[in-house]
Amino acid sequence: MKNIGKEIIQTESFLKKEDFYKNLIRKLNAERDKVNKGGGDKAIEKHHSKGKLTARERIKKLVDDKSVFYELNTFCAHGMYEEYGGAPSAGTVYGIGKIHGRDFIIVANDATVKAGAWFPITAKKNLRAQEISIENKLPIIYLVDSAGVFLPLQEDIFPDKEHFGRIFRNNAKISALGIPQISAIMGPCVAGGAYLPIMSDEALIVEGEGSVFLAGSHLVKAAIGEDIDNEQLGGATVQSNISGVTDYVMKNDEECLTQIRKLVEKFGEFPKAGFNRIESINPKYNTKEIYGILPEDPLKQYDTYQLLARIVDGSEIDEYKAGFGKTIITAYARIDGWAVGIVANNRNIVKTEASKGSGGEMQIGGVIYSDSADKAARFIMNCNQKKIPLVFLQDVTGFMVGSKAEHGGIIKDGAKMVNAVANSVVPKVTIIMGNSFGAGNYAMCGKAYDPRFIYAYPNAKISVMGGNQASSVLLDIKVKQLAKEGKKISESDKKKLLDDILKSYDETSSPLHAASRLWVDEIIDPAKTREYISKAIEWSNNNPDIPKFNVGVIQT
């Protein structure tokens, strides 16, 4: 093992970067506080007046005391659906928490947001929760309190493969996989949404508030002329004692949550994957020093080894091919006791010896060269052979371009790496620490490559290319378009247009934009990187079924 850390002198530059990152986290937490209020104070007050708990209050009472509930996709729908008043967290709260020491996915409708109605992104968020359940064999608890599909946007949520109906299909698939599902009907449960709790293994219903039916009283009246109220149609007593649809009648939210805990307490043990773990050792250096290592400008270089020294156990790594392909660091290490294989973009500018694709020239940190891609592909295959989970630390500006790179076979070597990532069978955890541009996003296990969990730092940038390059290209297209129309553009107008394009591009490449669309599972505090990686592997360890590794055809 090699110690990679060193004491950092808190220079003015370090303190400025530290303050910059702490301020980013303060802003992020302020935004999180707003989101956590759901539909706002008045909506919460109205909800409480019915004797009901909010979604997050229900979850807090359900999980073990003093345990941490890891909420995921908190910023889903951020900045979306503003014409309808917004939809904080897409009207659904979900994450992973412990009940009697066992990990569960808990999904709760937030009825303070449009009565818990489903927007198009709400369906996508629920599908992500179920995907995590299937990939990690984690049992799910649904706390249902929803008015159903948000009708003004029904065409974007109802009929397609990844729409509303896929959730009930997944209920069936999850059950077939032997993964327990429990539903609590704590409010309305209407139309197609009625299938979710009833396709679970067991269903509880709260008296006076919970109801479940395919059509509410108004629709029944319109369709067949029957005059009946919702309670008589599908309330707790009817659905438990007459139809037998639900299994337990509960007096209120608290009793319902207590009953769920009693059911969970009796679960048997399930097999684990058996990833290697020993006693955890803290890094030799303060994890919060990451704030002063990361640059304010994501395009600036920094010492990636010093960042790793504040993440891995004992600040030690076993580096694979340390002297080759230096723009990617590949290393075995431990994080909170778990054995991991780390693939990290090296943001230092390093001088390399002549090697394939490098020509011995100065290489640029954060760029993937042929030798780096080849090394990473081999390392990823090694980790799969040894059943070692992979951690991708992304800060990548893309693959190297130009004649030297092309003649050196950059496309072929990049394809090797992408192939290895795509076919990898061990759990992959991705952290976007800075830039995530173009095909670099793919090679470093972006969302399209099935990481079990993917997180971003508050200063991350996710886009097809950097903002300066993209705005220059877009400006050029716009100027040529105007020229075709016989219009001229002054230098001052050109500058204004460039600034507007750059601002728009920066906004759409921000971590909040990514989180709102579920491109990342959560924006995290960099000082908690160890914790989130450790938890991701702990959750992944619940699935013992690891397929045989086969990369298919790779050109050499």
Side-chain angles (χ1 to χ4, degrees), residues 247-264:
D247 306 309
Y248 306 90
V249 179
M250 302 288 105
K251 290 179 183 176
N252 51 42
D253 282 9
E254 284 86 352
E255 186 179 76
C256 185
L257 297 168
T258 299
Q259 182 63 36
I260 293 171
R261 286 185 59 83
K262 286 180 180 177
L263 295 173
V264 166

Side-chain angles (χ1 to χ4, degrees), residues 272-341:
K272 303 284 185 185
F275 300 123
N276 186 289
R277 191 182 197 185
I278 62 174
E279 188 176 345
S280 176
I281 300 172
N282 287 330
K284 291 180 179 177
Y285 310 96
N286 191 335
T287 57
K288 290 191 175 180
E289 288 180 346
I290 292 174
Y291 302 149
I293 293 169
L294 293 166
E296 298 161 82
D297 180 354
L299 292 175
K300 287 187 177 177
Q301 305 297 314
Y302 60 91
D303 192 338
T304 308
Y305 287 99
Q306 294 316 308
L307 186 139
L308 287 175
R310 283 139 186 91
I311 294 173
V312 301
D313 287 14
S315 301
E316 294 180 331
I317 62 172
D318 287 315
E319 190 167 2
Y320 173 80
K321 289 186 181 290
F324 180 77
K326 289 187 175 182
T327 63
I328 288 182
I329 299 166
T330 49
Y332 301 105
R334 289 192 182 273
I335 295 177
D336 195 23
W338 294 105
V340 297

Side-chain angles (χ1 to χ4, degrees), residues 18-33 458:
E18 181 184 53
D19 190 56
F20 173 78
Y21 249 90
K22 284 181 176 178
N23 195 41
L24 277 182
I25 293 162
R26 279 193 293 269
K27 287 179 180 177
L28 183 71
N29 287 338
E31 205 61 47
R32 196 186 304 274
D33 289 342

Side-chain angles (χ1 to χ4, degrees), residues 5 103 112 223 260 269 325 372 375 398 403 446 454 490 543 554:
D103 288 316
T112 69
I260 293 171
E269 289 298 320
S372 305
K375 175 175 82 169
S403 60
I454 179 168
S490 68
N543 187 353
I554 289 186

Side-chain angles (χ1 to χ4, degrees), residues 396-407:
V396 58
T397 50
F399 283 87
M400 190 58 191
V401 296
S403 60
K404 192 169 286 188
E406 295 294 354
H407 297 171

Side-chain angles (χ1 to χ4, degrees), residues 123 127 155-167:
L127 288 171
E155 66 174 315
D156 296 320
I157 187 174
F158 171 64
D160 209 350
K161 182 179 178 180
E162 300 297 330
H163 284 180
F164 199 45
R166 188 78 173 182
I167 291 160

